[in-house]
Amino acid sequence: MATTREIFEKVERKIKERSDEFSQLRAVYKFELNGPDGGTWIVDLREETLGVRQTEEDAQCTFKSSDVHFVDVFTGKLRPESALLTGKIKMFGDIGLAMKLGQLLRK
């Protein structure tokens, strides 16, 4: 089973490979994950600070979830829409940015 760290490392590789495309969003996303493999992660899509880091800072869009549900979404076991509708993942902030991130990560 994938870990949250492995998923964020994969996200960071994808961001770096397509930095021009991702940095156009100019947004910061926060993932607050509880559980033994949890933590607070930032996905920063601003050109000057582009990357993924495990830290606490402000974001335009925040996701809160258990580490298990997060892994399930990113490995395809749980649809993001279902996770949001059932409360397994909670989203705060700009829903438009959330949708754009999802579209880019699916490519």
Side-chain angles (χ1 to χ4, degrees), residues 27-47:
V28 178
Y29 299 86
K30 182 190 298 188
F31 294 83
E32 295 179 357
L33 308 175
N34 57 45
D37 195 32
T40 301
W41 293 82
I42 297 295
V43 175
D44 188 338
L45 301 182
R46 298 173 295 185
E47 186 175 359

Side-chain angles (χ1 to χ4, degrees), residues 64-90 106:
K64 294 184 179 188
S65 172
S66 72
D67 53 354
V68 172
H69 293 138
F70 171 81
V71 169
D72 286 350
V73 166
F74 273 85
T75 58
K77 292 180 185 173
L78 177 63
R79 293 176 42 106
E81 299 83 3
S82 297
L84 286 167
L85 290 173
T86 59
K88 291 178 179 174
I89 292 181
K90 294 183 171 130
R106 279 189 214 113

Side-chain angles (χ1 to χ4, degrees), residues 6-58:
E6 290 168 343
I7 290 170
F8 281 113
E9 287 171 354
K10 184 177 179 180
V11 167
E12 184 160 42
R13 281 192 302 274
K14 191 175 272 199
I15 289 169
K16 301 261 176 167
E17 289 167 2
R18 297 177 18 228
S19 60
D20 290 344
E21 191 176 358
F22 276 95
S23 64
Q24 288 178 13
L25 284 180
R26 302 201 47 75
V28 178
Y29 299 86
K30 182 190 298 188
F31 294 83
E32 295 179 357
L33 308 175
N34 57 45
D37 195 32
T40 301
W41 293 82
I42 297 295
V43 175
D44 188 338
L45 301 182
R46 298 173 295 185
E47 186 175 359
E48 59 279 355
T49 53
L50 190 70
V52 175
R53 55 192 171 272
Q54 192 170 12
T55 187
E56 178 67 49
E57 61 185 76
D58 291 334

